[in-house]
Amino acid sequence: MGRGMRAGKKPKTGGGSMQQQLKQVQAMQREMEEAQAHLGEKEVTTTAGGGAVEVTVNGNKELTALKLDKDVIDPEDPEMLQDLIIAAVNEGMRQVDELVEEQMRGITGGLNIPGL
């Protein structure tokens, strides 16, 4: 036992600090839920092939729009069109990830919380 401690006596834990921390975590959780709802309303639009393929992705990582320039549709080369679509969608997803990370960093104050 530590110096000055008696059997059965608990060390002081700093009053209501645990309750204060719990309130802070609950407030942060509410803010994160609100932020996620707002992120679903945001959209990013990206292009590939010099604008031949344009995609829009929302904050929920759902593809909401796809535009193809008619000149990029070549029946003899479907792989090129597939590659351009994949590139545009991946870029849109990357930008949504950045939006989410930025939003969460603002809420958590830069704390590294697993799963966010």
Side-chain angles (χ1 to χ4, degrees), residues 3-66:
R3 192 171 170 208
M5 291 189 62
R6 292 187 207 158
K9 195 171 185 182
K10 295 181 181 177
K12 293 183 180 181
T13 58
S17 66
M18 185 64 95
Q19 288 178 333
Q20 184 63 26
Q21 287 177 352
L22 182 58
K23 286 180 183 178
Q24 288 175 338
V25 168
Q26 289 171 338
M28 188 184 306
Q29 188 175 20
R30 279 190 301 275
E31 286 182 57
M32 289 169 56
E33 288 169 358
E34 290 174 16
Q36 286 175 335
H38 291 305
L39 281 168
E41 299 169 1
K42 294 189 181 216
E43 292 186 333
V44 296
T45 300
T46 58
T47 62
V53 174
E54 179 180 290
V55 299
T56 302
V57 178
N58 69 18
N60 292 327
K61 292 188 171 182
E62 299 168 332
L63 183 65
T64 59
L66 171 65

